[in-house]
């Protein structure tokens, strides 16, 4: 009877301990996943610094060295292209070597590239430092970084975390653009380049000390997971799979339509507005700080536009949404030459708010169409579609500078980009609907 009583007591104590564990975990500090997300957020904000600076360098470099805007635009072009082309392989690098190592090395490369520009004396050095080094570093921290952290550390709240990390880029743009433009206008461009380098280096200790590749590294379950998830072994063949999926996707019509529309998206945002809006506004007498502040406001409204677009994508045909987005963007670009002036007027503010809402609104429907067409391989396919986005941005970043050199203004660039957006609207409508189940065969 004593044994029975002791056994019963043991069972009760065991049951009590099982019941108390969740309560103890609730009283403890936040799950480490949130600290990892915070470090990722800060890192992406820092990344916005070196994405914000190129557009501010065009006029100062042109005045100091006499380099053409086409030459300076070529450096920005290489930067944007590598940012996109590196992205499909970034996740493979993280699977092979770990998130912490890849991000720490990427930040160091960015700091090196930005810092070395202070001593450059020839245009090829700009292409090497800002184009190659900063492009490779920033590309290693593209969307793959946020997606990898979210997938590994979170089982619940993935949508919330993805939205927060996506908003980090816009928040960083809002923080750094006015600051960097003030530095450029007040102290010349070199202190701004040093600021970017220091911002990248400042994040490295936080990444190395606080970021971990997987919850299993610290003996934790992913946030919201009911069972412990062991750390997967390194995947050396991930890069090969990315290329294999690309070779399969290029044989299908929808891939070229999606890649084409997204290339025009990049051309009309990162390549056009982000790179050339500030110098174009300065051509019309607007102070650099005022133009940069307007560009920063776009970063505020693109968060709202992206969230709203995701809500619309769940309820409406993604193809028609893309057509509407590109058509409205093209119309707005046709009016932009008439809005540029020495001071900021209400019509310009309306354009900035509208363009901000439409800036990355194309992402949710594009991702939805990738899922519909390519099933389980949709994430990799979207990585390559994203690469086309950056290639389109790179082409217009270069050609926009050349057009300014040849014609003496950016007007032809705005009109040509408006026409491209109209073509993108038509391309989106041409994409044929296809059941997701049938798309798996593409893999």
């Amino acid at each position: 009877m004593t044994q029975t009583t002791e056994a019963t007591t043991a069972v009760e104590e065991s049951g009590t301990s099982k019941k108390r564990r969740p309560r103890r975990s609730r009283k403890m500090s936040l799950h480490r996943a949130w600290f990892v997300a915070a470090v990722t957020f800060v890192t992406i904000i820092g990344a916005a610094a070196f994405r914000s600076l190129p557009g501010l360098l065009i006029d100062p470099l042109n005045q100091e060295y006499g380099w053409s805007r086409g030459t300076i635009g070529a450096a920005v072009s290489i930067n944007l292209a590598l940012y996109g082309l590196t992205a499909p392989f970034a996740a493979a690098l993280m699977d092979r070597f770990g998130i912490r190592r890849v991000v720490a090395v990427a930040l160091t490369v960015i700091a090196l590239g930005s810092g070395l520009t202070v001593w450059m004396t020839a245009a090829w050095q700009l292409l090497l430092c800002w184009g190659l080094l900063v492009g490779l570093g920033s590309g290693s921290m593209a969307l793959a970084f946020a997606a990898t952290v979210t997938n590994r550390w979170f089982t619940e709240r993935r949508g919330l975390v993805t939205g927060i990390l996506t908003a980090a880029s816009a928040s960083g743009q809002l923080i750094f653009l006015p600051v960097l433009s003030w530095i450029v206008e007040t102290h010349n461009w070199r202190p701004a380049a040093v600021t970017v380098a220091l911002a990248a280096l400042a994040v490295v200790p936080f990444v190395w000390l606080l970021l971990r590749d997987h919850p299993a590294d610290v003996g934790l379950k992913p946030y919201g997971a009911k069972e412990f998830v062991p750390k997967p072994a390194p995947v050396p063949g991930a890069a090969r799979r990315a290329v294999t999926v690309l070779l399969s996707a290029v044989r299908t019509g929808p891939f070229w339509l999606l890649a084409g529309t997204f290339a025009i998206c990049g051309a009309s945002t990162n390549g056009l507005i982000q790179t050339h809006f500030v110098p174009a506004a300065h051509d019309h007498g607007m102070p650099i700080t005022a133009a940069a502040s307007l560009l920063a406001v776009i970063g505020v409204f693109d968060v709202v536009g992206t969230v709203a677009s995701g809500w619309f994508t769940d309820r409406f045909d993604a193809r028609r949404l893309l057509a509407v987005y590109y058509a409205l963007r093209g119309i707005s670009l046709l009016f932009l030459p008439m809005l540029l002036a020495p001071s900021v007027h209400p019509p310009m503010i309306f354009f900035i708010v509208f363009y901000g809402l439409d800036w990355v609104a194309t992402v949710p429907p594009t991702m939805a169409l990738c899922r519909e067409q390519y099933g389980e391989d949709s994430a990799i396919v979207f990585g390559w579609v994203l690469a086309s986005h950056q290639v389109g941005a790179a082409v217009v970043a270069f050609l926009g500078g050349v057009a300014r050199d040849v014609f003496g203004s950016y007007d032809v660039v705005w009109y040509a980009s408006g026409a491209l957006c109209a073509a993108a609207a038509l391309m989106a409508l041409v994409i044929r609907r296809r059941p997701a189940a049938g798309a798996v065969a593409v893999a």
Side-chain angles (χ1 to χ4, degrees):
M1 185 165 179
T2 303
Q3 293 178 350
T4 304
T5 303
E6 291 176 352
T8 303
T9 303
V11 171
E12 290 175 351
E13 289 177 352
S14 177
T16 302
S17 65
K18 289 180 180 178
K19 292 178 181 177
R20 285 178 181 170
R21 280 176 190 158
R23 285 200 294 268
R24 274 203 308 269
S25 64
R26 289 193 190 100
K27 292 180 181 178
M28 291 175 63
S29 58
L30 288 174
H31 192 287
R32 185 156 182 166
W34 293 108
F35 289 98
V36 172
V39 174
T40 305
F41 184 88
V42 172
T43 304
I44 295 175
I45 283 182
F50 33 85
R51 289 185 59 205
S52 303
L53 189 57
L56 304 176
L57 295 180
I58 293 178
D59 282 338
L61 293 178
N62 172 259
Q63 293 169 6
E64 179 170 341
Y65 294 106
W67 298 338
S68 69
R69 287 175 172 80
T71 299
I72 302 169
V76 180
S77 175
I78 294 172
N79 181 298
L80 291 171
L82 288 177
Y83 180 89
L85 294 173
T86 305
F89 299 97
L93 290 172
M94 292 178 186
D95 286 340
R96 182 68 181 88
F97 300 105
I99 300 174
R100 184 172 58 164
R101 292 179 180 176
V102 172
V103 174
V105 170
L107 288 168
T108 305
V109 170
I110 289 166
L112 180 65
S114 181
L116 287 177
T117 57
V118 175
W119 292 284
M120 65 184 179
T121 56
W124 68 265
Q125 296 166 351
L126 177 67
L127 300 178
L128 173 65
C129 295
W130 201 264
L132 181 63
L133 294 179
V134 177
L136 287 174
S138 58
S140 298
M141 293 188 301
L143 292 179
F145 177 35
T148 302
V149 169
T150 303
N151 291 339
R152 290 186 181 184
W153 280 89
F154 291 86
T155 299
E156 296 180 353
R157 310 289 186 184
R158 283 181 173 176
L160 174 63
V161 175
T162 301
I164 292 173
L165 296 182
T166 302
S169 180
S171 302
Q173 183 172 310
L174 175 64
I175 293 170
F176 281 106
L177 260 175
V179 174
L180 292 175
S181 64
W182 176 81
I183 294 175
V184 169
E185 194 167 41
T186 307
H187 303 287
N188 207 341
W189 63 269
R190 285 182 176 84
V194 172
T195 300
V196 171
L198 293 178
L201 286 178
V203 180
V204 174
F206 294 96
V207 169
W208 194 257
L209 295 175
L210 300 178
L211 193 63
R212 290 295 181 270
D213 295 330
H214 197 277
D217 290 341
V218 289
L220 293 176
K221 298 182 292 186
Y223 180 81
K226 296 181 180 179
E227 297 180 356
F228 183 82
V229 179
K231 183 178 180 179
V235 185
R240 189 183 308 111
R241 180 168 179 252
V243 175
T244 301
V245 171
L246 172 65
L247 294 177
S248 297
V250 295
R251 300 189 185 102
T252 65
F255 173 81
W256 292 105
L257 291 170
L258 289 169
T261 56
F262 222 42
I264 293 173
C265 178
S268 56
T269 52
N270 300 78
L272 180 65
I273 297 297
Q274 189 170 12
T275 304
H276 294 293
F277 177 80
V278 171
H282 190 56
D283 283 347
H284 287 76
M286 184 180 294
I288 291 178
T289 51
S293 298
L294 288 176
L295 200 57
V297 173
I298 289 179
V300 177
F301 286 94
D302 75 356
V303 177
V304 179
T306 305
V307 174
S309 179
W311 188 86
F312 289 138
T313 302
D314 290 335
R315 291 161 176 80
F316 301 102
D317 187 342
R319 301 171 305 160
R320 295 180 180 178
L321 286 176
L322 284 179
V324 171
Y325 296 156
Y326 286 122
L328 292 176
R329 183 183 298 181
I331 292 172
S332 67
L333 285 173
L334 297 179
F335 283 97
L336 182 57
M338 296 179 284
L339 303 179
L340 293 170
S343 59
V344 179
H345 297 289
M348 173 58 79
I349 295 176
F350 176 80
F351 170 85
I352 291 297
V353 172
F354 175 82
Y355 218 81
L357 292 172
D358 195 20
W359 185 274
V360 288
T362 56
V363 173
T366 301
M367 292 184 69
L369 288 171
C370 284
R371 284 194 298 267
E372 177 184 301
Q373 296 287 336
Y374 301 102
E376 294 180 356
D377 288 332
S378 60
I380 298 176
V381 173
F382 179 74
W384 288 110
V385 171
L386 177 65
S388 73
H389 181 280
Q390 294 305 117
V391 170
V395 171
V396 171
F398 171 67
L399 293 181
V402 172
R404 172 62 176 80
D405 291 332
V406 173
F407 299 106
S409 76
Y410 283 99
D411 288 357
V412 66
V413 182
W414 308 128
Y415 296 139
S417 298
L420 284 175
C421 289
L426 295 175
M427 291 166 65
L429 291 175
V430 172
I431 299 174
R432 291 180 295 178
R433 299 299 301 270
R434 182 179 183 183
V440 180
V442 176

